Amino acid sequence: MTSRARATIYTGRALTGTVVSAVAVAGIIAATTISAQYPQQQVRGIPVDISGTTNTRIACSGGFAELGTNPSDLTASSAHSGQEVSATRTDAIALERSNGEAASYATAFRAPGSTKLAAAQTQTLATEQLRGVAAHSCTAPATDQWIVGGKTELNSNATLTLSNPGDKDAAVSIRAYNSTGEITGTKAVGALVPAKQSRTISVNGIAPNSPELALRVQANGAAVSAVLGVAETHDIRPQGIDTITAQGLGDRVLTLPNVRNNYDSGNNDAAAGDSSILAQVMALQADGHATVYAVSAAGTKTEVGKLKLEQKKLTPLKIEPWKDEYAALQIAADTPIVGAAVGNSFQTGNADMVWFTPSPPLSGEHYAAIVSGGSLTVQAGNAPSEVTVKPLGSSAAQTVKLKANEIKKVALSVNTVSIKSDALVYAAVTIFTPAGGAAYPVTTVPSHRSQVLVYTN
């Protein structure tokens, strides 16, 4: 089922959410030793059906938040309405926010048990301060997640929107990192996100004057969905906006399908000669090494860089030029890593940044939401794959055969589909319009157990 929520344009102004310190609660487990002189009894669990009490949830961030709208408080933000949501369900839940009108509220969706869900959000802005296209996949809440991207240098702004679609309040701690290590020091910045609400926090206030960013977002009490909003200006001209979602707790191989630039240097002086892609990588658990590959549409890998990684320090790699035949980026490391890459869109005099984040591996059947103007790209893993893409609510389907690491676009005229594969694949949505560009991965929604074992005393 497909729904599209459109909101009218209105700019709301208010203070950001209250900042508090999140408190971690440690539990102590006592172990009891049974003497050998007593007979031991094997305890069997009693299966209990919990399918009626679990829910699958995903959340979008709502209207793009702008910093600096209140001269008396430069860390305050206001949220622009006008976002468009494509989803597999129609029963959206509005998450109230403290810094915007109702038209800018975050949107959440809920389904019983392990019902598949997918939603994505896009927004195009053209104001004196903000110009470009932002888009992201609406994600499942998590208690621990990483976001890589953006910066807080002069003429760069970043906001973090935390959405809590659950029934309990969430105490959230935020730690920021860059190429020198942790910025926030020994104390994490805290935020309280009430149930069924969202909060937007200035990252410029947490990590000022940083040329790159990685954020760790941890929640207690309830899980949250985290989205980073980034905006840049060049002199007094808006240079682009984007939204970046979290990517979990790292992996040894990161795959970013359909990484590319889209520019016409003849129509914008800032675009002249800019054909590079900037990648950023961070090792989470230990120092290590990473090899960066550009992947062609045919699946051929070309090594474009080697990185020496230091734990919890972002390592940049500028890939120049990013050739036209390159269609994806892959980063392989000997330790768990997080990372992202940024490209550019320059069309008809409009500049925009495009952040690419890793796509999780997909196998079996998953749902995807494709926003207006978006195109779906599928990429095979290290083995050949056959991918079936079927519009939801339709019997028509397309079958795409992929060789190992091969990348193909899928032509679609609808905005919600199922993606079914017989082997591991990756999928992403990319948007390039005269107004700007954006990209987001097709994500997975954690499945819930329908049955647990209960042990009695």
Side-chain angles (χ1 to χ4, degrees):
M1 183 180 297
T2 302
S3 72
R4 185 166 302 208
R6 298 183 182 274
T8 56
I9 300 291
Y10 183 83
T11 302
R13 299 175 183 269
L15 295 175
T16 55
T18 305
V19 177
V20 298
S21 297
V23 179
V25 180
I28 302 175
I29 301 175
T32 302
T33 303
I34 300 177
S35 174
Q37 62 181 324
Y38 298 107
Q40 297 187 22
Q41 181 180 2
Q42 182 177 5
V43 180
R44 299 183 181 276
I46 303 172
V48 177
D49 185 6
I50 61 169
S51 58
T53 62
T54 59
N55 288 299
T56 299
R57 292 182 173 95
I58 56 175
C60 319
S61 66
F64 191 90
E66 179 180 1
L67 282 176
T69 55
N70 183 353
S72 63
D73 184 2
L74 296 180
T75 65
S77 64
S78 61
H80 291 260
S81 59
Q83 69 273 18
E84 178 186 298
V85 178
S86 300
T88 57
R89 296 182 68 91
T90 58
D91 51 346
I93 304 168
L95 303 181
E96 182 180 350
R97 68 195 306 167
S98 59
N99 66 337
E101 299 298 321
S104 72
Y105 284 0
T107 304
F109 298 89
R110 181 173 59 187
S114 297
T115 303
K116 291 184 175 65
L117 281 177
Q121 174 188 311
T122 186
Q123 189 167 9
T124 300
L125 293 176
T127 71
E128 290 185 1
Q129 301 298 325
L130 300 176
R131 186 178 298 273
V133 177
H136 64 271
S137 182
C138 307
T139 57
T143 56
D144 197 356
Q145 53 199 311
W146 285 87
I147 299 180
V148 178
K151 55 186 176 181
T152 59
E153 291 180 311
L154 184 64
N155 298 325
S156 299
N157 289 325
T159 59
L160 180 66
T161 297
L162 305 169
S163 300
N164 178 8
D167 301 319
K168 296 181 179 180
D169 296 349
V172 183
S173 67
I174 305 156
R175 294 185 182 274
Y177 303 80
N178 60 16
S179 58
T180 64
E182 186 170 355
I183 306 169
T184 45
T186 57
K187 278 193 174 183
V189 175
L192 178 65
V193 186
K196 302 294 192 297
Q197 295 188 31
S198 68
R199 290 290 181 267
T200 298
I201 299 167
S202 167
V203 181
N204 286 54
I206 299 174
N209 303 317
S210 180
E212 63 276 314
L213 283 172
L215 301 177
R216 187 175 190 178
V217 181
Q218 295 175 294
N220 286 287
V224 298
S225 295
V227 176
L228 185 71
V230 294
E232 294 183 15
T233 59
H234 179 72
D235 297 328
I236 60 172
R237 295 170 294 173
Q239 197 72 9
I241 63 171
D242 213 343
T243 46
I244 306 168
T245 51
Q247 54 185 282
L249 301 180
D251 206 338
R252 292 177 183 268
V253 179
L254 305 180
T255 300
L256 293 71
N258 204 23
V259 172
R260 65 188 182 95
N261 292 305
N262 184 48
Y263 64 92
D264 179 1
S265 60
N267 288 329
N268 192 298
D269 58 355
D274 191 349
S275 59
S276 66
I277 292 289
L278 177 64
Q280 298 178 349
V281 188
M282 187 169 77
L284 300 183
Q285 299 177 7
D287 296 351
H289 298 82
T291 305
V292 183
Y293 300 94
V295 187
S296 70
T300 302
K301 292 184 180 181
T302 302
E303 183 180 315
V304 293
K306 285 186 177 296
L307 301 175
K308 183 178 180 180
L309 305 176
E310 294 184 68
Q311 183 184 8
K312 301 290 179 65
K313 292 184 179 181
L314 273 170
T315 301
L317 174 67
K318 189 173 185 178
I319 307 168
E320 189 175 19
W322 183 262
K323 299 180 181 179
D324 291 341
E325 60 263 32
Y326 295 160
L329 182 70
Q330 191 171 82
I331 306 168
D334 54 8
T335 185
I337 57 174
V338 292
V342 62
N344 299 288
S345 173
F346 295 100
Q347 288 290 320
T348 62
N350 293 324
D352 198 11
M353 73 192 80
V354 185
W355 278 97
F356 303 90
T357 55
S359 296
L362 307 175
S363 61
E365 185 179 24
H366 296 273
Y367 285 0
I370 303 160
V371 296
S372 297
S375 61
L376 177 67
T377 297
V378 291
Q379 177 179 351
N382 292 326
S385 177
E386 185 172 287
V387 183
T388 301
V389 181
K390 180 180 177 182
L392 296 181
S394 171
S395 59
Q398 298 183 55
T399 299
V400 180
K401 293 185 177 181
L402 298 170
K403 300 174 183 177
N405 300 304
E406 188 177 12
I407 305 160
K408 289 184 179 181
K409 290 185 178 180
V410 183
L412 296 166
S413 59
V414 294
N415 61 6
T416 53
V417 299
S418 71
I419 301 174
K420 191 174 184 179
S421 61
D422 59 356
L424 186 148
V425 298
Y426 305 90
V429 176
T430 309
I431 308 162
F432 283 108
T433 72
Y440 59 88
V442 174
T443 58
T444 59
V445 177
S447 59
H448 293 277
R449 293 173 180 245
S450 62
Q451 196 176 80
V452 296
L453 293 178
V454 174
Y455 293 88
T456 60
N457 291 331

